Amino acid sequence: SAVISQKPSRDICQRGTSLTIQCQVDSQVTMMFWYRQQPGQSLTLIATANQGSEATYESGFVIDKFPISRPNLTFSTLTVSNMSPEDSSIYLCSTEGVNYGYTFGSGTRLTVV
Amino acid sequence: SQQGEEDPQALSIQEGENATMNCSYKTSINNLQWYRQNSGRGLVHLILIRSNEREKHSGRLRVTLDTSKKSSSLLITASRAADTASYFCATFRGGADGLTFGKGTHLIIQP
């Protein structure tokens, strides 16, 4: 299975600013996924990112707030824009793994103050 | 959106005992997966069971799947302190979908 390097691992940001989270995969993958995990909660899918096409967002998530880039088959970024304290969460990327389970990055713990 | 429920939400047992966690889901699935998360870090894939399978084993893990009841269970035998973590079930429906996660069970193994 793939190995994902996610950074930053954590950050404390001022409200109104933006943070870009990066995920680098050690092999080429068609689809990457971004999840949000609010404090004490489970994971919620934000969007699916395919290389060469616009990301597909789940209900409740919009591109203006969570723009995603997928410039090649090994890399993706998620930006959390115009942050508010409600955006304080752990953000995780993952790769597809239909037959052997998905691989997740180590997560970015974001605190907005 | 979250597909299912897990119970119990929290479970505390003594080291050496068996731990059982349950998961229910709402839609048809291609497969169901279980993940472990330590202290809010990244998720580690534990086991995957396909919709046409009923039971699967991996080391101290045993997973069952009942598609008629839309439910699954994860059994950890001979628990260890290192098993302390949150456990999530996740369903995959197929195609280009991502995973849909249950709410999770927080397992504490008392030494």
Side-chain angles (χ1 to χ4, degrees), chain A residues 5-56:
Chain A
S5 174
Q6 182 174 345
K7 58 182 181 182
S9 59
R10 60 177 63 227
D11 208 339
I12 301 173
C13 300
Q14 296 291 322
R15 67 178 67 201
T17 63
S18 298
L19 176 71
T20 296
I21 302 166
Q22 300 179 2
C23 281
Q24 178 74 52
V25 189
D26 68 345
S27 59
Q28 293 184 342
V29 293
T30 303
M31 290 185 290
M32 292 185 70
F33 305 91
W34 288 94
Y35 293 84
R36 181 178 72 183
Q37 186 177 25
Q38 295 177 300
Q41 302 297 312
S42 185
L43 283 77
T44 300
L45 181 64
I46 297 172
T48 301
N50 286 348
Q51 193 271 332
S53 63
E54 294 288 329
T56 303

Side-chain angles (χ1 to χ4, degrees), chain B residues 2 5 7-8 11-12 16 23-25 37 43 54 58 62 69 71-72 81 84 89 92 106-107:
Chain B
Q2 289 174 356
E5 301 284 332
D7 73 88
L11 178 63
S12 180
C23 166
S24 62
Y25 56 93
Q37 184 180 40
L43 273 70
R54 292 298 167 257
S58 177
R62 172 179 171 258
K69 296 181 179 178
S71 67
S72 175
T84 294
C89 69
F92 175 70
H106 184 54
L107 176 65

Side-chain angles (χ1 to χ4, degrees), chain B residues 36-92:
Chain B
R36 183 184 72 223
Q37 184 180 40
N38 291 86
S39 302
R41 303 297 301 277
L43 273 70
V44 174
H45 172 74
L46 296 176
I47 194 165
L48 179 154
I49 186 166
R50 294 182 174 81
S51 61
N52 62 353
E53 298 176 312
R54 292 298 167 257
E55 186 172 314
K56 203 163 185 179
H57 298 255
S58 177
R60 293 186 295 116
L61 306 180
R62 172 179 171 258
V63 170
T64 63
L65 178 65
D66 186 334
T67 53
S68 67
K69 296 181 179 178
K70 292 185 168 58
S71 67
S72 175
S73 67
L74 172 67
L75 168 68
I76 303 175
T77 61
S79 63
R80 305 167 181 169
D83 295 329
T84 294
S86 292
Y87 291 81
F88 296 92
C89 69
T91 55
F92 175 70

Side-chain angles (χ1 to χ4, degrees), chain B residues 23-36:
Chain B
C23 166
S24 62
Y25 56 93
K26 298 176 182 175
T27 66
S28 61
I29 62 172
N30 177 287
N31 66 60
L32 184 144
Q33 304 173 30
W34 285 89
Y35 289 83
R36 183 184 72 223

